[in-house]
Amino acid sequence: MIETLLPEGVRASEAFGPDGAAVLYPEEAALVAAATEGRREEFTTVRGCARRAMAALGLPPAPVLPGRRNVPGWPAGVVGSMTHCAGYRAAVLARDADLVAVGIDAEPDLPLPGGVLESIALPQELAWARSPVAGPAGVCRDRLLFSAKEAVYKTWYPWVGTELDFDDAALSFRVDDDGGADGSRRGTFRARVLRPGTAPDGRPVTGFSGRWLAHRGLVVTAIAVPARRAAEAAGDAAPYDDAGGVGHPGR
C-alpha cells in the first residue's frame, strides 16, 4: 500500500498485523523490556519491516535504534522512515544517492479526538478539515491533515535538524477525481514551510509535496525528496521548494 505513494528506488515493507517472525537485537529489546505487550509488538514488527526493506536494498540486517527526537538510526548511505498505528506498521528505505529525505505516516481513517484538530491546524486548514466530504468513499479530513503534518516533520527533522511545530507548515490538499475500484481514495498535498530551514548542502528548504491514500480503514501519507536529478537540472542555488527536489514537483 505505502509503496504506491513513493518513487522508484524506494524499498517498502508493511504489515497489517503482528509479525511473529520478527526478532529484536539485544540493544533494541532493552529499549522495550518494560513496555506493554502491545508496544513491544509494534516496535518489533516495524523493525521487521525495516530489515526486509534493508534486504530489498541489498543491505545486511542491522539494529534500528532511536536517536534524538526518536529519529531512527539507519545504516550509512541510507535514508528512511517508519510508522505504526492500530492495524498497520511500515518502513521505507532508499539510498541517499536517490533520496535526501523521506517521511511516511499512517493513521486510522477515523476522526481525531476532540480538541486535537484545533491544536494542529492553521485557520485555512481548519476550515478545509471541517468542510463536508461528498461521496461514499470520503476520507476523514482532520486525520488526513494530522498524518500529512506528521509526514512533513518526519521528512524535515532528520534532514534539516531543527524543530518544526504543527503551525510552522501550511498544507493544502487535492483529491483525485477517480477513486479506486476498491473504494480507496487518493490524492496529493503541498506543505509550505513558514519557518524555512537549510539543507546540509546549504540550500533553503521552503516546502514539500507529497501523496496520500485512504484505504482499508487507514490514511497513509508520504513525502520523498530526490537527491540529484532535480537539483542538477535547476542549478546549485535553487531552493528545495517541494518533495520533487529543487524547484520541480514530485511524482
Side-chain angles (χ1 to χ4, degrees):
M1 189 162 82
I2 193 73
E3 72 276 1
T4 67
L5 304 181
L6 293 160
E8 295 178 6
V10 180
R11 298 295 179 263
S13 178
E14 61 191 2
F16 293 88
D19 180 357
V23 177
L24 294 179
Y25 283 83
E27 55 267 50
E28 293 173 328
L31 297 174
V32 288
T36 64
E37 181 179 350
R39 170 59 181 150
R40 286 196 302 273
E41 180 276 314
E42 66 185 16
F43 184 95
T44 302
T45 296
V46 79
R47 278 158 178 78
C49 292
R51 286 190 261 280
R52 286 192 293 275
M54 289 179 196
L57 276 180
L59 298 172
V64 182
L65 301 175
R68 187 166 178 254
R69 298 288 289 170
N70 287 321
V71 172
W74 302 111
V78 170
V79 297
S81 184
M82 300 192 298
T83 188
H84 53 78
C85 70
Y88 187 76
R89 292 89 172 84
V92 301
L93 295 177
R95 301 278 185 178
D96 61 9
D98 296 323
L99 297 184
V100 294
V102 62
I104 64 170
D105 188 71
E107 301 287 334
D109 189 6
L110 296 169
L112 289 170
V116 174
L117 176 61
E118 293 77 8
S119 71
I120 68 160
L122 295 169
Q124 64 270 32
E125 296 169 338
L126 191 61
W128 174 83
R130 287 175 169 168
S131 298
V133 179
V139 58
C140 287
R141 286 186 170 188
D142 57 348
R143 190 71 73 157
L144 172 57
L145 175 65
F146 180 87
S147 181
K149 290 213 172 195
E150 287 287 301
V152 167
Y153 186 82
K154 290 180 177 182
T155 306
W156 171 277
Y157 186 79
W159 184 33
V160 178
T162 61
E163 297 293 336
L164 197 70
D165 292 329
F166 283 114
D167 59 1
D168 287 330
L171 275 63
S172 59
F173 294 84
R174 184 176 69 84
V175 180
D176 288 353
D177 291 333
D178 52 338
D182 55 5
S184 63
R185 296 292 286 168
R186 65 178 62 233
T188 59
F189 64 92
R190 296 293 300 262
R192 180 169 56 92
V193 178
L194 305 179
R195 188 160 54 91
T198 304
D201 64 9
R203 283 190 285 263
V205 182
T206 59
F208 300 107
S209 61
R211 294 175 177 268
W212 63 267
L213 169 67
H215 186 45
R216 296 181 63 164
L218 300 164
V219 174
V220 292
T221 53
I223 296 169
V225 186
R228 294 181 180 145
R229 181 181 59 224
E232 291 172 352
D236 287 344
Y240 292 93
D241 67 352
D242 60 45
V246 183
H248 183 55
R251 282 183 50 181

